């Protein structure tokens, strides 16, 4: 009996020693990470503040900001604005921005900001974890944190009631039976819509794309302010076909709207790269750099799924949300998107888009 007790005691001690070693290793790993950025952290704390403009969904923005405050003890304010709203704001504030960093939202407006000289280049150490050089600006003015596939969200119940098939291609959206059933976002306010415009131009050519949008406008019931706006309308039967990012549809499905179906266009589509960047003239430059390192780490991006954001992450050391793979978001059916063309011409393409619209469509551009 004494021998058995001695063996058990030894086993307990061994397990305790192993647990302590594991805990010590974790602490050491955290310490090493802090050590890598110790000087930057100290400089950021000395500045004492950070302001973030976020263009992802507000739930994700909020948890990301709160975790940054918790990790580094730096008071951080945030405001949720669409990507085009951020671009307009920092353009007006040129060189004297009211925020320090930009977080989330598709990169077309980021590329416009690069071209306009509104973003600060920063050689981020954590950029080494990006799975491809495609997910950062060549001049280090923005860095990708996630990607999202562009497609259609459809109300399967309404389509069945109307005896209509779900659209399978971009050209299907032009069919007369879909008149008044489609919602798209407003390119004046939503980067999502800018991506749609650039995608059609790259797939069809400029003039054919403008004719396409002119025809599509006949079927559009409303252009929403936010890129995620159409996805929010499909579940409660306010919209039959919403054009946007499929991860927004996944969020709605998981909220209980099982009537939503997801469609990846068979003729090809594109993807957004959700990004983060420092504004040129940021008042808290070291805190801004620390934010970039944080945004390019699992400490930040692994929070996305806890806030209902199910994009595919583009960091090699991140944990992919199972919902993204479960619904097939990591798609290969994407065009080779020309980021340089988007950077140079997005503003003109948006202007061309509105010039192509019929005069009667202005009342469709709502603020929802």
């Amino acid at each position: 009996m004494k021998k058995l007790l001695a063996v058990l005691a030894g086993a307990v001690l061994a397990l305790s020693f192993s647990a302590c070693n594991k805990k010590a290793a974790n602490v050491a790993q955290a310490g090493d990470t802090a050590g890598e950025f110790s000087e930057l952290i100290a400089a950021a704390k000395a500045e004492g503040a950070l302001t973030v403009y976020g263009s992802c969904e507000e739930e994700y923005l909020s948890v990301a900001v709160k975790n940054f405050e918790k990790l580094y003890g730096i008071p951080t304010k945030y405001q949720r604005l669409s990507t085009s709203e951020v671009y307009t704001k920092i353009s007006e504030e040129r060189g004297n921005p009211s925020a320090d960093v930009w977080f989330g939202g598709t990169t077309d407006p980021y590329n416009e900001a690069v071209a306009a000289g509104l973003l600060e280049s920063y050689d981020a150490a954590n950029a080494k974890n990006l799975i491809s050089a495609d997910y950062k600006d060549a001049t280090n003015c923005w860095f990708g944190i996630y990607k999202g596939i562009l497609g259609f969200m459809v109300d399967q119940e309404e389509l069945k009631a109307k005896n209509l098939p779900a659209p399978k291609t971009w050209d299907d959206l032009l069919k007369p039976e879909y008149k008044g059933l489609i919602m798209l976002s407003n390119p004046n306010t939503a980067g999502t819509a800018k991506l749609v415009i650039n995608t059609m131009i790259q797939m069809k050519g400029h003039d054919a794309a403008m004719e396409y949008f002119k025809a599509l406008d006949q079927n559009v019931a409303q252009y929403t302010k936010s890129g995620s706006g159409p996805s929010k309308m499909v579940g409660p039967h306010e919209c039959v076909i919403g054009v946007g990012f499929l991860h927004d549809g996944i969020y709605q499905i998981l909220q209980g709207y099982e009537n939503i179906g997801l469609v990846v266009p068979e003729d090809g589509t594109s993807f957004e790269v959700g990004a983060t960047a420092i504004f040129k003239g940021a008042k808290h430059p070291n805190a801004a750099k620390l934010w970039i390192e944080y945004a390019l780490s699992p400490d930040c991006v692994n929070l996305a799924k806890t806030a209902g954001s199910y994009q595919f992450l583009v960091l090699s050391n991140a944990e992919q949300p199972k919902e993204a793979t479960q619904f097939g978001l990591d798609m290969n059916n994407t065009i080779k998107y020309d980021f340089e063309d988007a950077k140079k011409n997005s503003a003109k393409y948006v202007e061309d888009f509105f010039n192509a619209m019929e005069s009667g469509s202005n009342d469709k551009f709502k603020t929802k």
Side-chain angles (χ1 to χ4, degrees), residues 321-347:
K322 67 180 186 301
E323 293 84 359
T325 52
Q326 172 189 341
F327 285 90
L329 283 194
D330 186 23
M331 298 295 298
N332 294 315
N333 191 33
T334 55
I335 65 172
K336 186 171 177 55
Y337 190 74
D338 189 339
F339 287 97
E340 285 304 310
D341 183 71
K343 182 187 297 185
K344 294 175 184 175
N345 297 306
S346 282

Side-chain angles (χ1 to χ4, degrees), residues 41-155:
I41 292 170
K45 286 185 173 181
E47 290 173 349
L50 182 74
T51 300
V52 182
Y53 284 156
S55 299
C56 55
E57 290 300 299
E58 186 155 2
E59 293 83 356
Y60 181 20
L61 173 61
S62 176
V63 297
V65 166
K66 288 176 182 176
N67 195 45
F68 181 80
E69 282 188 321
K70 178 181 176 182
L71 288 173
Y72 302 111
I74 299 171
T76 305
K77 298 185 296 184
Y78 71 87
Q79 184 178 2
R80 201 280 171 190
L81 297 166
S82 70
T83 47
S84 291
E85 287 176 317
V86 173
Y87 177 72
T88 299
K89 193 170 182 61
I90 62 172
S91 297
E92 293 170 350
E93 299 172 343
R94 177 176 292 273
N96 186 32
S98 50
D100 301 296
V101 293
W102 197 353
F103 180 69
T106 187
T107 45
D108 284 339
Y110 281 78
N111 279 325
E112 289 183 80
V114 174
L118 301 173
L119 301 182
E120 188 71 53
S121 178
Y122 171 57
D123 187 12
N126 279 340
K128 65 181 182 291
N129 296 318
L130 290 168
I131 61 177
S132 167
D134 293 337
Y135 299 118
K136 77 177 191 68
D137 173 60
T139 60
N140 291 330
C141 282
W142 59 257
F143 300 93
I145 51 179
Y146 60 76
K147 69 177 180 180
I149 305 299
L150 195 62
F152 317 143
M153 287 141 284
V154 300
D155 184 340

Side-chain angles (χ1 to χ4, degrees), residues 41-366:
I41 292 170
K45 286 185 173 181
E47 290 173 349
L50 182 74
T51 300
V52 182
Y53 284 156
S55 299
C56 55
E57 290 300 299
E58 186 155 2
E59 293 83 356
Y60 181 20
L61 173 61
S62 176
V63 297
V65 166
K66 288 176 182 176
N67 195 45
F68 181 80
E69 282 188 321
K70 178 181 176 182
L71 288 173
Y72 302 111
I74 299 171
T76 305
K77 298 185 296 184
Y78 71 87
Q79 184 178 2
R80 201 280 171 190
L81 297 166
S82 70
T83 47
S84 291
E85 287 176 317
V86 173
Y87 177 72
T88 299
K89 193 170 182 61
I90 62 172
S91 297
E92 293 170 350
E93 299 172 343
R94 177 176 292 273
N96 186 32
S98 50
D100 301 296
V101 293
W102 197 353
F103 180 69
T106 187
T107 45
D108 284 339
Y110 281 78
N111 279 325
E112 289 183 80
V114 174
L118 301 173
L119 301 182
E120 188 71 53
S121 178
Y122 171 57
D123 187 12
N126 279 340
K128 65 181 182 291
N129 296 318
L130 290 168
I131 61 177
S132 167
D134 293 337
Y135 299 118
K136 77 177 191 68
D137 173 60
T139 60
N140 291 330
C141 282
W142 59 257
F143 300 93
I145 51 179
Y146 60 76
K147 69 177 180 180
I149 305 299
L150 195 62
F152 317 143
M153 287 141 284
V154 300
D155 184 340
Q156 298 175 110
E157 294 175 1
E158 285 296 311
L159 286 174
K160 184 177 180 179
K162 296 177 183 297
N163 197 28
L164 292 175
K168 295 181 179 180
T169 68
W170 289 99
D171 284 346
D172 280 351
L173 298 181
L174 304 184
K175 291 180 177 180
E177 54 262 42
Y178 295 138
K179 186 175 180 64
L181 303 184
I182 297 172
M183 286 190 186
L184 180 66
S185 51
N186 183 344
N188 268 340
T189 55
T192 306
K194 290 183 178 181
L195 180 64
V196 173
I197 292 172
N198 286 323
T199 298
M200 290 298 99
I201 288 174
Q202 292 183 28
M203 288 178 66
K204 296 175 175 294
H206 178 277
D207 292 349
M210 292 305 117
E211 289 301 313
Y212 173 84
F213 287 121
K214 186 175 180 179
L216 179 62
D217 183 61
Q218 302 303 307
N219 287 350
V220 172
Q222 180 178 323
Y223 296 90
T224 64
K225 177 181 178 181
S226 168
S228 61
S231 71
K232 295 173 181 176
M233 303 290 194
V234 176
H237 309 298
E238 297 177 46
C239 168
V240 179
I241 302 168
V243 179
F245 293 117
L246 297 182
H247 56 256
D248 291 328
I250 286 181
Y251 175 76
Q252 296 300 322
I253 293 170
L254 295 177
Q255 295 302 299
Y257 290 114
E258 296 181 357
N259 58 310
I260 297 175
L262 305 178
V263 179
V264 179
E266 292 179 355
D267 48 346
T269 190
S270 62
F271 61 89
E272 71 164 337
V273 178
T276 190
I278 301 172
F279 297 128
K280 182 159 286 189
K283 296 177 178 60
H284 309 101
N286 291 301
K289 291 174 182 176
L290 183 59
W291 174 272
I292 299 298
E293 302 294 357
Y294 163 72
L296 292 172
S297 77
D299 284 336
C300 178
V301 298
N302 283 351
L303 293 171
K305 59 182 175 290
T306 71
S309 291
Y310 303 112
Q311 300 96 328
F312 190 82
L313 304 177
V314 298
L315 300 178
S316 61
N317 57 345
E319 181 182 333
Q320 300 300 339
K322 67 180 186 301
E323 293 84 359
T325 52
Q326 172 189 341
F327 285 90
L329 283 194
D330 186 23
M331 298 295 298
N332 294 315
N333 191 33
T334 55
I335 65 172
K336 186 171 177 55
Y337 190 74
D338 189 339
F339 287 97
E340 285 304 310
D341 183 71
K343 182 187 297 185
K344 294 175 184 175
N345 297 306
S346 282
K348 179 182 182 301
Y349 292 160
V350 170
E351 182 179 348
D352 294 343
F353 168 88
F354 282 105
N355 287 337
M357 292 295 96
E358 294 292 335
S359 59
S361 69
N362 290 338
D363 61 340
K364 299 179 185 177
F365 291 89
K366 306 294 184 182

